Amino acid sequence: MFTTCAFCSGALGGDGGDSGLGVGRRFAFDGWKSRAWVICQRCARWNLTPYDERLEVIAALDRMASAGRVAATSDQVALVRLGAYDIVRVGQPPRPEMATWRYGERIKARQKEKMKVVVPVAIAVVGLSVAVNVALGGSMGAFIGQVPNLANNIYTGMVGYRKVPIEPPICARCGAVMVLRAKHVSDARLQHTARSDLALLLRCPKCRDEGALLEGADAEIALRSGLTYQNLRKAGKLKKRAADAARQVDMFGGPAAYLTRQALREVRVSTYKGAEALALEMSVDEQAEVRELERQWQDAEEIADIADNLLVDPTIEDELRHLKEGNQPDG
Ligand SMILES: [Zn+2]
Ligand SMILES: [Zn+2]
């Protein structure tokens, strides 16, 4: 069995779980076309598994998928999570359900990222205040009590100041290039347009008018950045809020339906608070991920077509057998 990615040579990582592959943490399979892949965690490309073991692997992945929880679906692809493993099922997606545990894990990862900034900032601030207090001969207790808040605010400010990674639109009112920061997205309004289930009407940071409309993937990217910032500012009882948020998404029949419903309300992003803001972030995250998986699957599918057609060509199969007999691979 292969252990490295055919595209980037990175280690495929993971132990394969119950797939029988012995490698990988994220898999994809198409039972109908008899295809199975290990998805590289480094470059995200899909590595087609060897033809002769595929039926058992597909059966095993199918069992894993039935035991897992469906996180999101698109027309062609369902993303199923099972413990540490992700299984992408290509074909008819089953009924959407939401996984609450997963959001909890994401929040934990976010807290870790935050600590990387908060701790050094806190130490720097304490260092500074000690120096200042020693110089002034004052008491520093009051000031040190403020340090965690100050460090938190610095971190939140950093996230809010992050550029939204899209091509900056031009403001239709004042002609300015709208370089968007995450914090600007709170002023945007959700929209439902003829071309896009989820669009964002942006307020220009310069003239404060509604000056540009984002649709499709750009709207998703901007909304994700904005909500990450917005949800970070109010990080209270996360566990309960994540469960409430997942329930809300469930009630509407999954992330896609939830987003469409919210877009029709046409309200500002800043209107969303608490569990509702988390539900929106969760939905837009899952939809963006499953859309990306669908795109990757189309690429992988083209390669698989070529590879499998080569294998069923009898002359090439003879050739391969000949090569195999003469030259045993070491792995
Ligand atoms: Zn790779
Ligand atoms: Zn403007």
Side-chain angles (χ1 to χ4, degrees):
M1 183 54 213
F2 55 93
T3 54
T4 55
C5 172
F7 300 93
C8 73
S9 311
L12 285 170
D15 60 4
D18 293 334
S19 71
L21 288 165
V23 74
R25 188 156 287 148
R26 182 171 254 208
F27 314 96
F29 74 102
D30 179 344
W32 193 64
K33 283 196 167 178
S34 296
R35 272 166 198 171
W37 297 266
V38 178
I39 301 176
C40 175
Q41 286 174 272
R42 194 162 101 178
C43 71
R45 275 180 282 198
W46 294 27
N47 289 266
L48 194 62
T49 61
Y51 195 72
D52 45 0
E53 322 168 354
R54 228 179 266 167
L55 288 181
E56 295 107 87
V57 170
I58 288 169
L61 288 176
D62 195 29
R63 281 195 298 275
M64 282 173 83
S66 329
R69 308 204 63 191
V70 178
T73 57
S74 70
D75 290 347
Q76 295 286 352
V77 164
L79 172 60
V80 181
R81 314 236 189 226
L82 176 70
Y85 307 101
D86 286 351
I87 303 117
V88 178
R89 176 158 42 195
V90 181
Q92 287 120 331
R95 198 188 77 78
E97 311 157 31
M98 280 301 296
T100 53
W101 63 268
R102 181 196 157 220
Y103 206 77
E105 279 177 12
R106 169 164 300 203
I107 287 165
K108 261 188 255 154
R110 200 180 274 173
Q111 294 282 357
K112 261 188 218 150
E113 190 201 343
K114 180 169 151 181
M115 289 314 288
K116 281 189 212 144
V117 177
V118 169
V119 172
V121 167
I123 290 168
V125 169
V126 170
L128 183 70
S129 73
V130 170
V132 168
N133 278 285
V134 167
L136 298 178
S139 126
M140 48 183 206
F143 187 64
I144 290 195
Q146 299 298 314
V147 166
N149 272 338
L150 185 61
N152 257 327
N153 291 345
I154 289 171
Y155 179 74
T156 307
M158 278 170 57
V159 172
Y161 200 69
R162 274 183 198 156
K163 266 193 199 149
V164 175
I166 55 167
E167 186 72 32
I170 307 290
C171 174
R173 307 281 171 141
C174 73
V177 178
M178 294 166 62
V179 179
L180 289 174
R181 311 269 175 193
K183 61 181 178 182
H184 294 140
V185 179
S186 298
D187 282 339
R189 210 137 46 88
L190 296 180
Q191 299 277 293
H192 186 86
T193 65
R195 274 197 302 178
S196 193
D197 280 348
L198 177 76
L200 265 187
L201 186 58
L202 298 173
R203 182 176 273 184
C204 170
K206 201 166 173 194
C207 71
R208 309 292 301 155
D209 249 331
E210 287 180 334
L213 184 73
L214 295 181
E215 292 181 305
D218 278 358
E220 263 171 17
I221 292 167
L223 190 57
R224 288 174 85 179
S225 306
L227 287 168
T228 302
Y229 167 66
Q230 207 164 295
N231 286 326
L232 192 67
R233 289 170 69 198
K234 299 259 160 72
K237 290 171 187 160
L238 278 172
K239 226 174 177 176
K240 187 189 176 300
R241 209 134 56 79
D244 287 350
R247 208 170 304 122
Q248 283 192 29
V249 176
D250 246 352
M251 254 163 44
F252 283 91
Y258 186 80
L259 285 179
T260 305
R261 179 75 195 81
Q262 299 309 316
L264 287 167
R265 286 174 65 192
E266 305 206 329
V267 296
R268 278 194 202 292
V269 177
S270 57
T271 317
Y272 289 87
K273 304 254 152 53
E276 211 182 22
L278 268 190
L280 192 63
E281 185 184 355
M282 207 187 264
S283 301
V284 75
D285 269 3
E286 297 287 18
Q287 270 322 108
E289 186 162 9
V290 86
R291 197 195 301 275
E292 174 60 17
L293 284 168
E294 189 166 302
R295 199 191 57 69
Q296 292 169 7
W297 163 66
Q298 273 156 0
D299 288 351
E301 182 63 29
E302 273 173 35
I303 297 170
D305 258 336
I306 297 165
D308 284 358
N309 284 338
L310 287 178
L311 283 177
V312 288
D313 183 327
T315 55
I316 290 177
E317 221 166 32
D318 281 351
E319 192 76 20
L320 280 176
R321 196 169 305 128
H322 195 242
L323 281 172
K324 255 187 193 166
E325 280 159 8
N327 182 16
Q328 283 292 328
D330 53 358

